[in-house]
Amino acid sequence: MKRFLASLGLATLVALPVAPVRAAGPSLAPVVAPGDWINGTATAADLKGKVVLVDVFTFACYNCKNITPNLRKLRAQTSSADLAIVGVHAPETAYEKDRAHVVSNLKALGISWPVRTDNDFAVWRSYGVEYWPTQLLFDRHGVLRKTVIGDSQDTVVDSTIAELIAEK
């Protein structure tokens, strides 16, 4: 290494202190932008300082239905001061675009957290989502830290949320 540095005309390598840098990633802005909400709204103020799980789904998707019990469990077992769950309903069919169908199916599925309808796929596109379901996990600073695609990922989701909550 000394020879390499000398060949560059450098006799020593100086280590400068570096402040920790938080990786920049997509923010929560597309989720909390004005839109059509069911079960209340989620604003930037509501989510500030919380770990946020954004569930991008459609109510008729079999795989999406498979993750709903874990979301209900997380909501029941985790303090609302630490975790917020927000749904983004991105319909696959014209039937799923109908707000009345969305409302009745959310009730049937036991989804009581705020859900933003995304009939124009604006939120979907802003995060580069390609599949149902996709779960976006944000840290307390609103930075996207993990994307989980598909069902049968409850262990990954749960452990990531626990890690992000512990980062206080």
Side-chain angles (χ1 to χ4, degrees), residues 2 5-6 9-13:
K2 285 185 178 182
L5 292 174
L10 301 172
T12 60
L13 181 63

Side-chain angles (χ1 to χ4, degrees), residues 94-149:
Y95 178 80
E96 293 166 320
K97 286 184 178 183
D98 185 291
R99 191 177 200 285
H101 294 149
V102 177
V103 170
S104 65
N105 278 278
L106 293 180
K107 187 173 185 176
L109 291 168
I111 295 175
S112 58
W113 47 87
V115 175
R116 179 179 176 179
T117 61
D118 194 28
N119 287 355
D120 62 359
F121 286 77
V123 176
W124 173 286
R125 283 190 307 276
S126 69
Y127 294 111
V129 174
E130 295 181 21
Y131 307 100
W132 294 275
T134 295
Q135 295 174 306
L136 308 167
L137 303 171
F138 293 83
D139 66 17
R140 292 179 187 272
H141 304 283
V143 176
L144 179 61
R145 297 282 293 276
K146 189 171 205 78
T147 299
V148 179
I149 299 168

Side-chain angles (χ1 to χ4, degrees), residues 33-163:
D36 180 26
W37 288 89
I38 301 167
N39 298 335
T41 60
T43 66
D46 296 332
L47 304 179
K48 186 176 182 176
K50 297 178 183 181
V51 171
V52 180
L53 184 158
V54 175
D55 179 35
V56 182
F57 74 105
T58 187
F59 68 74
C61 164
Y62 177 82
N63 299 66
C64 299
K65 291 177 185 179
N66 288 340
I67 65 170
T68 302
N70 191 55
L71 298 179
R72 287 194 308 264
K73 178 198 77 158
L74 283 167
R75 189 160 194 238
Q77 293 179 351
T78 310
S79 166
S80 61
D82 288 323
L83 175 67
I85 299 174
V86 178
V88 173
H89 184 267
E92 187 172 10
T93 67
Y95 178 80
E96 293 166 320
K97 286 184 178 183
D98 185 291
R99 191 177 200 285
H101 294 149
V102 177
V103 170
S104 65
N105 278 278
L106 293 180
K107 187 173 185 176
L109 291 168
I111 295 175
S112 58
W113 47 87
V115 175
R116 179 179 176 179
T117 61
D118 194 28
N119 287 355
D120 62 359
F121 286 77
V123 176
W124 173 286
R125 283 190 307 276
S126 69
Y127 294 111
V129 174
E130 295 181 21
Y131 307 100
W132 294 275
T134 295
Q135 295 174 306
L136 308 167
L137 303 171
F138 293 83
D139 66 17
R140 292 179 187 272
H141 304 283
V143 176
L144 179 61
R145 297 282 293 276
K146 189 171 205 78
T147 299
V148 179
I149 299 168
D151 65 349
S152 303
Q153 305 286 332
D154 294 350
T155 303
V156 173
V157 170
D158 294 357
S159 63
T160 302
I161 287 172
E163 289 170 18

